[in-house]
Amino acid sequence: MSHTTSKTTGSKTAVVTGGSSGIGAASVRQLRSAGYQVITGARRLDRLREVAEPVGAVALELDVTDPNAVKTFAAEVERRAPEGLSLLVNNAGGALGMDRIEETRDEHWEWMFQSNVLGTLRMTRALLPSLIASGAGHIINIGSIAGFETYPGGSGYTAAKHGLRALTRTLRLELLGQPVRVTEVAPGLVETEFSKVRFAGDADRATKVYDGMTPLTADDIADCVVWAATRPPHVNIDELVVRPLDQAAATLVHRRPVE
Ligand code: NAP
């Protein structure tokens, strides 16, 4: 894969949250290929190391829902990147459950807001000084088409991703005049562990989400992350909405008969 870089990325450091699987893991690999030093965090340190070590990235335990863990992680990033942080990819997150509003559970909503929205808020707050200090920082938030569409059973997840989108857009306004770009990458269906997590490990139900259609891969989205990051520093890609060809809307998916 080739990417045009505006200048050498040899000394640039990127942080990727949720690097232990899916889009985060693919972003760790592709950012390393593009020349970034990469520090990645997630809760499952064993899985995270399996991603990071082969490509020479740094794996650090991180739970974005825990303010103290975020503080410790940010201090370690500042120690490892004293020249400042070039890129923060807020990717950690996901969905839990797919129930109608009458049946949806508070704890699912709380988990989704904690990981997708408050986790991004905490990471951004903690690392913003370092992003500014780099002189050319960039925050890429992994949103979703759920950030501007809704669908039955998706109330908690779509509310969280709508919230994340509001946070991203507010950040772009508030950072005007600072050397920090702000981008949202909003994917449609991507085949990762997302559906397995959503359906509490029910592999059959998770597989059915992608039945008869060709979903995006984690690498398709990592490609967008690297592309947005490697535009010249005066170019801010506000939003990238990326869907599979087989998906026109959250609930409108073209499926071929499955044998
Ligand atoms: P995934 O394979 O389940 O990966 C989710 C990642 O987030 C894992 O590495 C997980 O690591 C990490 N994570 C979750 N909670 C965390 C926490 N509290 N602290 C730190 N890390 C945490 O799913 P994915 O599809 O790659 O999801 C990545 C992002 O893309 C999510 O924000 C998701 O909402 C978004 N997205 C996905 C799709 C899709 O169709 N797959 C579509 C649109 C948007 P640990 O469990 O090890 O902590």
Side-chain angles (χ1 to χ4, degrees), residues 156-244:
Y157 184 59
T158 57
K161 288 299 194 190
H162 274 66
L164 174 62
R165 183 170 161 78
L167 191 163
T168 308
R169 293 168 63 115
T170 305
L171 202 53
R172 195 176 303 115
L173 302 179
E174 291 183 357
L175 288 177
L176 182 65
Q178 296 284 1
V180 182
R181 297 182 287 164
V182 180
T183 298
E184 175 177 347
V185 177
L189 284 168
V190 189
E191 191 165 13
T192 60
E193 292 177 19
F194 176 89
S195 296
K196 222 169 117 194
V197 171
R198 175 170 226 170
F199 300 127
D202 183 338
D204 281 350
R205 200 171 168 201
T207 308
K208 280 202 176 65
V209 173
Y210 315 106
D211 261 2
M213 57 88 62
T214 306
L216 297 170
T217 66
D219 270 317
D220 293 328
I221 303 306
D223 192 26
C224 296
V225 167
V226 176
W227 182 77
T230 54
R231 294 314 85 206
H234 68 286
V235 178
N236 192 92
I237 305 298
D238 280 15
E239 298 173 356
L240 281 170
V241 179
V242 192
R243 304 175 198 260

Side-chain angles (χ1 to χ4, degrees), residues 55-226:
V55 296
V58 174
L60 299 175
E61 196 169 351
L62 171 68
D63 181 347
V64 298
T65 71
D66 175 353
N68 285 328
V70 171
K71 224 167 135 186
T72 306
F73 181 91
E76 187 58 22
V77 169
E78 275 167 25
R79 195 184 69 75
R80 287 173 180 267
E83 74 289 353
L85 181 65
S86 294
L87 175 63
L88 167 61
V89 183
N90 283 309
N91 163 76
L96 270 193
M98 186 132 166
D99 303 309
R100 292 171 56 85
I101 285 173
E102 313 89 276
E103 279 134 30
T104 189
R105 291 156 54 175
D106 284 11
E107 56 268 34
H108 283 179
W109 277 64
E110 280 156 10
W111 186 93
M112 290 187 274
F113 272 77
Q114 275 293 342
S115 55
N116 294 285
V117 189
L118 288 161
T120 296
L121 171 69
R122 287 186 195 104
M123 290 299 299
T124 301
R125 240 178 2 213
L127 290 172
L128 197 49
S130 181
L131 287 158
I132 293 172
S134 76
H138 194 170
I139 298 165
I140 300 183
N141 290 340
I142 307 300
S144 168
I145 59 169
F148 49 85
E149 293 186 27
T150 55
Y151 54 92
S155 59
Y157 184 59
T158 57
K161 288 299 194 190
H162 274 66
L164 174 62
R165 183 170 161 78
L167 191 163
T168 308
R169 293 168 63 115
T170 305
L171 202 53
R172 195 176 303 115
L173 302 179
E174 291 183 357
L175 288 177
L176 182 65
Q178 296 284 1
V180 182
R181 297 182 287 164
V182 180
T183 298
E184 175 177 347
V185 177
L189 284 168
V190 189
E191 191 165 13
T192 60
E193 292 177 19
F194 176 89
S195 296
K196 222 169 117 194
V197 171
R198 175 170 226 170
F199 300 127
D202 183 338
D204 281 350
R205 200 171 168 201
T207 308
K208 280 202 176 65
V209 173
Y210 315 106
D211 261 2
M213 57 88 62
T214 306
L216 297 170
T217 66
D219 270 317
D220 293 328
I221 303 306
D223 192 26
C224 296
V225 167
V226 176

